[in-house]
Amino acid sequence: MIVAPLGSGSAGNAYYFESDGTGILVDAGLGPRETRKRLELVDRNIEALKGLVITHEHYDHIRGAERIARKYGIPIYLTRGTMNASRIDFSEANVIVFENNSTFQIGELNIHARRTLHDAADPACFVIESRDGTRVGLASDLGQADPTVVNHLSNCDGLFFEANHDLDMLRMGTYPWSLKRRIMSRFGHLSNDDAMNAVQRMMGADLKTLCLIHLSEKNNHESIVRDLATRLLQRNGVQLELGIAKQFQPTGVYDIRRRGGPRRVTLPSGSQMALF
Ligand SMILES: [Zn+2]
Ligand SMILES: [Zn+2]
């Protein structure tokens, strides 16, 4: 699976995923022209997109969705809560509503959606799965990495996960106290420390690529996140490809393939009895 973060953070989010000829965007927080330009920088064409999958209704994740959808005839996938809360007129766009905590398909991709904790109507994170069983998780804008999200994103081959702020920088920074409190709340954003704790719990033997996303421009720095993540990997004796997503340019193109062969299907406990 190819994954290319085109932009990540409060000035606009868009992540390109592609496998077996199906290309989609998760979030469309950049306008049509900027999205087109950044896709061209990673040798992709906006017209070929098969869908825009939206995590939640905040402006930095949805700003370009309606215009991109209308201009290029690309369907928008979102939860009903996100659609209703977005205050965007989707009447001329092709909108497909998905249920949180369910799986849907776009072309050759399976998308497993899971509800997250954030100050939005019905926010989602995703595991995107290709035909050969490669799984890539993406979760951003999390007040808390609650056990269901951690569980959902475990056993991935690639992980794109929020590390929003350094707690001290946020506390000492210039944001008004009300905004600081919102960011720190369980419906806000994930601190670097909370992100590392969650990554530690999600890191399975298959994880090949880890990219930290949605860094705050004011209250974080790439070098802080890189140091923390590097130390985490060293402590755990893990070697993998580490990335920090950029806000104003594509971060790069990750080619994420399963380390092993095709993934074994795990039978739910209890159903094994039925085999005998
Ligand atoms: Zn955001
Ligand atoms: Zn948000």
Side-chain angles (χ1 to χ4, degrees):
M1 184 158 358
I2 298 288
V3 186
L6 302 178
S8 182
S10 57
N13 293 273
Y15 306 88
Y16 178 73
F17 285 76
E18 179 194 299
S19 185
D20 298 300
T22 300
I24 62 166
L25 280 189
V26 172
D27 283 335
L30 305 167
R33 198 180 311 158
E34 192 61 25
T35 305
R36 176 185 197 99
K37 193 180 102 190
R38 295 199 199 181
L39 278 169
E40 282 168 2
L41 288 171
V42 296
D43 292 324
R44 296 300 190 278
N45 198 334
I46 196 167
E47 277 102 356
L49 289 174
K50 296 288 193 296
L52 310 172
V53 182
I54 306 298
T55 57
H56 65 296
E57 70 272 20
H58 289 161
Y59 199 58
D60 54 320
H61 299 261
I62 204 168
R63 175 177 45 189
E66 189 269 341
R67 281 175 296 149
I68 295 170
R70 203 156 32 88
K71 190 163 179 192
Y72 299 104
I74 301 164
I76 303 173
Y77 294 75
L78 34 57
T79 63
R80 188 166 300 283
T82 298
M83 181 175 73
N84 292 341
S86 70
R87 285 181 280 150
I88 289 174
D89 177 11
F90 288 119
S91 56
E92 285 183 48
N94 178 8
V95 170
I96 298 163
V97 169
F98 67 83
E99 295 277 331
N100 236 331
N101 307 329
S102 76
T103 296
F104 57 97
Q105 280 181 313
I106 303 177
E108 299 297 329
L109 298 171
N110 277 326
I111 324 260
H112 306 280
R114 181 71 54 180
R115 176 146 185 158
T116 56
L117 286 172
H118 187 51
D119 56 353
D122 191 12
C125 67
F126 304 106
V127 169
I128 297 176
E129 189 181 31
S130 67
R131 245 181 356 198
D132 70 352
T134 302
R135 289 158 50 87
V136 178
L138 184 142
S140 172
D141 297 51
L142 304 166
Q144 205 182 56
D146 65 288
T148 51
V149 166
V150 167
N151 203 23
H152 190 60
L153 298 179
S154 294
N155 304 317
C156 281
D157 304 285
L159 190 56
F160 293 74
F161 196 73
E162 171 172 52
N164 180 257
H165 57 272
D166 175 273
L167 254 186
D168 290 334
M169 284 176 81
L170 178 64
R171 282 204 191 102
M172 317 280 269
T174 55
Y175 281 5
W177 177 240
S178 57
L179 180 56
K180 290 182 185 182
R181 209 165 42 195
R182 180 183 92 69
I183 293 170
M184 284 191 267
S185 80
R186 62 192 288 264
F187 296 101
H189 287 275
L190 220 53
S191 72
N192 292 341
D193 291 341
D194 287 346
M196 297 306 145
N197 283 334
V199 167
Q200 167 126 34
R201 282 179 281 152
M202 291 182 291
M203 259 185 329
D206 290 330
L207 193 65
K208 179 185 171 291
T209 301
L210 170 67
C211 182
L212 284 320
I213 62 175
H214 211 296
L215 272 66
S216 166
E217 275 177 72
K218 288 239 164 63
N219 301 309
N220 213 349
H221 199 276
E222 187 180 327
S223 62
I224 298 174
V225 177
R226 192 176 290 282
D227 281 358
L228 284 172
T230 303
R231 264 185 276 149
L232 172 74
L233 298 178
Q234 279 168 354
R235 257 202 325 273
N236 290 274
V238 173
Q239 280 190 324
L240 47 69
E241 180 180 33
L242 175 66
I244 313 287
K246 297 182 191 304
Q247 175 67 86
F248 297 106
Q249 64 189 84
T251 305
V253 178
Y254 297 96
D255 187 356
I256 302 169
R257 286 172 210 201
R258 288 192 42 68
R259 284 190 207 261
R263 191 180 294 277
R264 266 178 300 165
V265 177
T266 315
L267 291 170
S269 56
S271 65
Q272 275 166 320
M273 291 301 288
L275 293 174
F276 297 100

